[in-house]
Structures are given as structure tokens and as C-alpha cells.
Amino acid sequence: GATAPDARSAATAGMSESPIISAVTVENSAVRRTVRASGVTQPKAVITVSAEIGGTARKVPAIEGGAVKKGDILVQLDANTLPARIEAAKAEIEAATSAYDSAVAQSAGTYAEQRAAAVANLEVARQRLEIAEKLATQNFSAPVEQAQLKANYENARMSLAQIDLAKNLRAEVEISQSRARLATAKSNLAVLRDQLQKSTLKAPSGGWLETLHLEAGEQIAAGAPAATILDMSEVTIIVAVPQTNIGQVSTGDPVSIDVAGVGLRKGAVSKIASITSSTTRTFDVEVSVPNDDRALRAGMTVEASIDVGFQPAFGMSPAHLSVAGDGSLTAKIDDDGTVRVVPVELVRSGVEQVFVSGLADGARLLTFGQAFVEAGDDVRVATVPAS
């Protein structure tokens, strides 16, 4: 047997040997990466239907809390004397049209008659003047008579010119007045018809009639809200994404939505905020989710998983990760018999396994016993198959 000194030497040698730590060889695979966030459902749009004219609600056929379609009558205001005033406006248009047509006809007839008479007078004066001038060459016409005939000719020519210039100004004034009357009558009819149309408040789009702001018999002022409709054909979910993850999210990314009591739904990222929330330092990400069955309602709390694509990652036990002083995750690997600490990033988490990026293929990840060694320690590794 060995002497006592020999036994002590063997014990000392054993204590100085490096510890044996289990390790697995890293083999990365493409792992779907998701960003998780919580949010609350909101309607696609909140539509306020306001009264464009004031009046008294004669009928309120819509039912608060029910579904409405585009064009459904929500509130019918009392039209009062509008139908009778519309009929009177139609009669005024007919009268104004007749007056206008008559003025146009009279203007054309009067002008044509006056001009024809003036042309005839001018022709008679011209012929008489020509005869007088011929007689004057033979001394059969006195100069005074010739001068008078010339004056008559000039007067006839001026009369024709005045008629052409004036074109029967009086008739034109009557035409203008009749035209203005007709235009005013048409404008009045359009206004009355618009008021009659506005006395019926209809749903501008389909949705959920959340609130009716008046009942039959109540008065409403112009501009006051009459009803509120929620467009729930699609819901919007606003989720808060930390600034460490916002760079991974893009518009159009598919999103899986888990709604308590409803189940899983599919949506897509429709908008990403450009500025963080001042209180939480997170970015608001807007997710659009179809809601054809109307099962989703406004105000529901949801959990969203945003699919940001695939990334090389390695699956391991969360017990083999360490947390650095700044809160980042690290893992320990064997670097030719020396412990080296490398930063890793969480890609996907689970209860018994997490997937991390940052480990190179072929690296030996320290597993069982890694908690007993630190960076720079010598280590002996016993490689085991990856689970």
C-alpha cells in the first residue's frame, strides 16, 4: 500500500484538477421569432351621427345596442310644413319658366318687327334721295328739297343703327328678370328638398348602434349628436412593444391574438408609432383583426404574439442561462478548456425550454455544473447529447 505521504500527494493532485462540467454541442435551427405584448380591442371607427337641422324627433325606429346597416333610418325628425313648401316651390318654378319663355318670345318678335320697319323706312328714304339727286342734275329739284330728303335718309339710317345697338333693351331687361326669378325658384326648391332629406337621419355605414342621444318627442339642435355607431367589422388592437423589440416589428407582420372567452384570432400589424409613450417608454403598435362574426367587442383584453420571422436559435434549459448586472442574458461555453461567458438574446420562451441566439454552431455550451465556474476558470468538459 501507499505510504501516508503518497496518499496526501494524491489527494492534493486531485483537488488541483479542473472540475468536470457537462456540455452540449450547439446546433442552431431556424426558429420562428415572436414579440409578445398585451393590448385592448378598439372599434375600427367611432361614427357620430349629428343632426344637420334642428327639429323634433317624430320617430326613433332604431334600437340602441343592436346592429345597423348602411342606410337604416335612425331618427325621423318632424318635417312640419316642408312638403307643402316644396309643392309651392315647384309651382313657382313653373310660373317663372312660363314668364321667361314669354319674355324671350316677345323680345325676338318685337326686335324683328322694329328692325324690319326701320329697314323699309331706310330703303324708301334712299330711293327718294336718289331720285332727287337725279332730278337735281337736270335742274328739276330745288336744293332745299334735296337737303330735306338727305336728312330723312340719315334719320332712317340712324334709327336702324339704334335698333341694332339697343336690341330692344326693355325686352332684354324683362328676360334677365325672368331668368333671375327662375333661378331663385330652383334654388329655393333645392334648399327645401335638402332640408327634407336632412330631416331623416340615416346610418352612414353599418356597425353597432352604441348610443341613441334622443327619444321620440325630444327636440334636437342643428349640429347636436343624435347617435353613435361603432364600426366593428374589424377591430383595432393597440399593444405596447418595448423599445428593445420594436426594431424587429414591421407593418404587415402576422399576429396571433388570444382573446379570453373568444379564442385565437389572426391579424396583422397595420401601424407602428414613431414615438414612445412618455410614461412606459414603449411603442404603440396597431394590429387590425377581422371580426366578421362580431364576437370581438370593444374593450377586451388580449395577448398578441407578433410573428417577426425566422432566426437561427438554439434550444436549451432556462436553468443554464445567467443574468448579467445590466439585466442581459448570458451563457457559458468551453473555450479550449477555459470558461467564456457570451451574451445571448431570447428568441422564444417556454416553460421547460427557451430558444436563444448568439451561440455559434459547434460551440460547447456548459450545462449541468456551470453555476460552479466563472469566466476564465479552467474546466474539463463531458459532452452529452443535446436533448
Side-chain angles (χ1 to χ4, degrees):
T3 61
D6 292 336
R8 285 196 299 270
S9 298
T12 303
M15 292 178 61
S16 63
E17 290 179 350
S18 302
I20 300 175
I21 307 297
S22 297
V24 293
T25 302
V26 174
E27 293 182 10
N28 286 296
S29 58
V31 175
R32 187 175 294 278
R33 184 167 194 167
T34 59
V35 174
R36 297 183 181 275
S38 302
V40 177
T41 56
Q42 298 179 3
K44 179 182 179 181
V46 178
I47 304 165
T48 300
V49 182
S50 299
E52 296 188 62
I53 60 172
T56 302
R58 182 166 59 87
K59 292 190 301 182
V60 183
I63 300 176
E64 188 174 87
V68 293
K69 299 187 297 293
K70 181 179 180 179
D72 283 354
I73 297 177
L74 305 177
V75 179
Q76 179 66 64
L77 299 179
D78 194 344
N80 294 322
T81 60
L82 281 175
R85 290 164 64 189
I86 286 175
E87 293 303 316
K90 291 179 180 178
E92 172 62 14
I93 288 178
E94 293 179 0
T97 301
S98 297
Y100 174 73
D101 293 342
S102 177
V104 171
Q106 288 179 4
S107 170
T110 302
Y111 170 70
E113 292 170 358
Q114 288 182 345
R115 193 178 193 284
V119 169
N121 289 336
L122 178 60
E123 180 62 21
V124 170
R126 184 186 64 77
Q127 291 178 2
R128 286 178 177 176
L129 179 58
E130 287 180 353
I131 293 172
E133 288 177 344
K134 289 179 180 179
L135 292 174
T137 59
Q138 302 174 10
N139 295 321
F140 289 114
S141 176
V144 174
E145 182 183 358
Q146 185 179 354
Q148 182 61 48
L149 291 173
K150 188 174 181 61
N152 291 343
Y153 172 76
E154 292 296 332
N155 287 334
R157 189 172 62 82
M158 288 298 296
S159 295
L160 177 59
Q162 288 177 351
I163 290 173
D164 285 338
L165 180 64
K167 288 186 178 180
N168 201 346
L169 181 60
R170 180 179 178 183
E172 287 296 325
V173 170
E174 290 180 357
I175 291 175
S176 297
Q177 291 176 341
S178 298
R179 186 186 297 114
R181 176 187 173 188
L182 179 58
T184 300
K186 289 181 177 179
S187 175
N188 289 339
L189 178 61
V191 170
L192 292 172
R193 282 176 169 169
D194 182 62
Q195 289 181 340
L196 182 62
Q197 182 179 1
K198 290 176 179 177
S199 66
T200 302
L201 278 64
K202 298 181 179 180
S205 65
W208 193 265
L209 182 57
E210 182 70 10
T211 309
L212 277 169
H213 300 284
L214 77 166
E215 297 178 355
E218 292 184 345
Q219 289 189 338
I220 188 170
T228 301
I229 298 174
L230 304 183
D231 185 351
M232 299 296 293
S233 60
E234 185 178 276
V235 298
T236 298
I237 301 171
I238 307 297
V239 296
V241 176
Q243 62 182 15
T244 53
N245 299 118
I246 196 62
Q248 305 163 14
V249 181
S250 301
T251 303
D253 283 347
V255 183
S256 178
I257 308 297
D258 188 3
V259 187
V262 177
L264 292 177
R265 293 296 177 99
K266 297 295 182 181
V269 175
S270 57
K271 183 179 178 181
I272 302 173
S274 300
I275 188 171
T276 61
S277 168
S278 58
T279 54
T280 61
R281 293 300 176 187
T282 57
F283 288 83
D284 285 344
V285 173
E286 185 175 300
V287 178
S288 298
V289 182
N291 188 33
D292 297 333
D293 60 358
R294 301 295 194 275
L296 297 178
R297 296 173 178 263
M300 288 181 165
T301 301
V302 303
E303 292 295 328
S305 297
I306 305 173
D307 185 346
V308 296
F310 290 94
Q311 182 173 351
F314 180 67
M316 59 182 292
S317 169
H320 301 151
L321 290 174
S322 301
V323 181
D326 59 358
S328 61
L329 296 178
T330 62
K332 298 170 185 176
I333 64 172
D334 169 34
D335 186 5
D336 292 333
T338 303
V339 176
R340 183 160 64 91
V341 175
V342 294
V344 295
E345 186 178 351
L346 186 66
V347 174
R348 197 173 72 194
S349 62
V351 178
E352 297 181 355
Q353 190 179 44
V354 295
F355 288 86
V356 299
S357 62
L359 297 175
D361 283 332
R364 293 197 293 179
L365 173 70
L366 302 184
T367 57
F368 295 104
Q370 56 85 27
F372 300 105
V373 293
E374 300 295 337
D377 289 351
D378 293 333
V379 67
R380 288 186 298 163
V381 171
T383 303
V384 297
S387 58

